[in-house]
Amino acid sequence: MKNRLVLKKIFTYFFAFIVFLIMFFPLYGLILTSIQPENIIRSRNLSFFPTEIIFTHFVEVLKPNHISNIYEGIKNSLIVSSLTAFLCLILGFPASYSLSRLNLPGKNLILAALISVYFLPTIIFVIPLFVILVSYQLDDTILSLVVPYTAFTLPFVIWILKTFIDKLPIEVEEAAKIDGCSVFQLLSLIIFPLLRPGLIAAFIFAFILAWVEFLTPLIFTNNLKISTVALGLFRSTIDIKIGQQAAAAVITLIPVVLLMIFFQQYITKVVLSGSNK
């Protein structure tokens, strides 16, 4: 029995290491490209280990007069992603609680309809939204991105929060109601603190989904710089600076990587939320 457990652990760690290498290899290649001179990057003798390390690409990309203006793009992306995540929490919290606790007719159908949004191409929703925003002269603004981002991300946030609310003991809520708690007091003083891990996890996922969106800002914005679209501007130059493009991509990844590192436990809870069902 002990030998079987040891072999099982060995195989588990071995395949986990293989998966890690497969997933880490593109990121390593991106970082390697961002810290090497352009002539080495374009050389056929490119090595997996850096022969010369420079940070010139990062310096050039962060200059205010750079064609991509990645600094302004990241600033606007932070604003849009944060507003989207907060708005998704504000709207998703009462909706998820209603779907979890209230005896609503057809609530499972409602939840299925919300999740089914992700099976449809984004372009189906982008064009009508663009026409509506243009008619109200809201295109090329922060609001023109927050509104569609929230519409796309809210169903996923509701699903995450509902999963966490389902696991909360209903006896606590019943005891609070017996003690005279109103609905507002129940949600703000009891459910909200207990749901904090779920709220953090939902915020992280909403932020990341808004951060990596490309098609929506490409269509909805012109003068407003967004980081994902700014990366695409490298394709509009005659001579593409591969090192600078890689450096800009690394800079764009930093906020997402930091979120994944510092809030890894909350992300793991979401991934494993349905394992006990």
Side-chain angles (χ1 to χ4, degrees):
M1 182 63 69
K2 290 183 178 180
N3 291 334
R4 289 182 179 179
L5 291 175
V6 171
L7 287 174
K8 184 178 180 180
K9 288 184 177 180
I10 291 174
F11 277 110
T12 301
Y13 283 110
F14 173 76
F15 285 110
F17 181 71
I18 296 297
V19 172
F20 170 78
L21 287 179
I22 295 173
M23 297 181 67
F24 181 73
F25 181 78
L27 180 60
Y28 175 75
L30 181 66
I31 296 174
L32 184 65
T33 304
S34 67
I35 59 175
Q36 293 196 97
E38 194 75 19
N39 61 331
I40 295 180
I41 296 172
R42 296 177 181 271
S43 172
R44 294 185 178 181
N45 299 321
L46 183 64
S47 173
F48 287 106
F49 300 98
T51 56
E52 182 180 352
I53 297 177
I54 62 171
F55 296 96
T56 309
H57 301 312
F58 291 93
V59 175
E60 291 294 328
V61 165
L62 291 175
K63 287 183 178 179
N65 59 347
H66 194 271
I67 185 174
S68 67
N69 204 346
I70 196 68
Y71 177 79
E72 185 180 353
I74 289 178
K75 181 186 69 174
N76 292 330
S77 293
L78 284 172
I79 295 172
V80 171
S81 300
S82 300
L83 289 176
T84 300
F86 277 117
L87 189 58
C88 284
L89 291 186
I90 293 172
L91 299 176
F93 176 57
S96 58
Y97 183 82
S98 301
L99 291 172
S100 177
R101 291 293 191 252
L102 301 184
N103 190 18
L104 299 174
K107 64 179 183 180
N108 291 330
L109 183 62
I110 294 173
L111 185 62
L114 290 173
I115 299 301
S116 64
V117 172
Y118 290 95
F119 294 96
L120 300 174
T122 307
I123 192 66
I124 294 177
F125 308 100
V126 167
I127 301 302
L129 280 171
F130 177 74
V131 173
I132 294 172
L133 291 172
V134 169
S135 63
Y136 286 98
Q137 297 181 352
L138 294 175
D139 58 307
D140 206 19
T141 62
I142 295 292
L143 187 62
S144 69
L145 295 180
V146 173
V147 171
Y149 282 6
T150 302
F152 301 151
T153 311
L154 186 58
F156 188 55
V157 170
I158 292 174
W159 177 79
I160 293 176
L161 294 179
K162 182 183 179 300
T163 303
F164 278 88
I165 294 174
D166 289 341
K167 294 182 179 181
L168 298 180
I170 197 170
E171 294 80 10
V172 176
E173 300 176 40
E174 293 175 347
K177 292 178 181 178
I178 293 174
D179 291 337
C181 276
S182 63
V183 176
F184 178 77
Q185 289 174 328
L186 177 65
L187 293 176
S188 60
L189 301 179
I190 305 298
I191 303 300
F192 193 84
L194 292 175
L195 197 61
R196 189 174 300 167
L199 293 170
I200 295 175
F203 180 89
I204 294 169
F205 275 95
F207 183 94
I208 293 175
L209 288 175
W211 183 269
V212 300
E213 179 63 30
F214 174 76
L215 180 62
T216 306
L218 181 65
I219 296 176
F220 282 47
T221 62
N222 184 23
N223 297 318
L224 182 68
K225 302 296 182 182
I226 298 297
S227 59
T228 51
V229 179
L231 289 176
L233 288 179
F234 282 91
R235 302 296 302 177
S236 64
T237 60
I238 298 175
D239 184 20
I240 300 172
K241 303 293 185 181
I242 300 176
Q244 292 184 22
Q245 189 171 23
V250 170
I251 295 172
T252 305
L253 282 174
I254 290 176
V256 176
V257 172
L258 291 177
L259 281 176
M260 297 289 286
I261 292 174
F262 288 107
F263 299 101
Q264 181 182 5
Q265 56 177 333
Y266 300 105
I267 298 173
T268 304
K269 288 181 179 179
V270 173
V271 175
L272 301 178
S273 59
S275 60
N276 59 346
K277 295 185 178 181

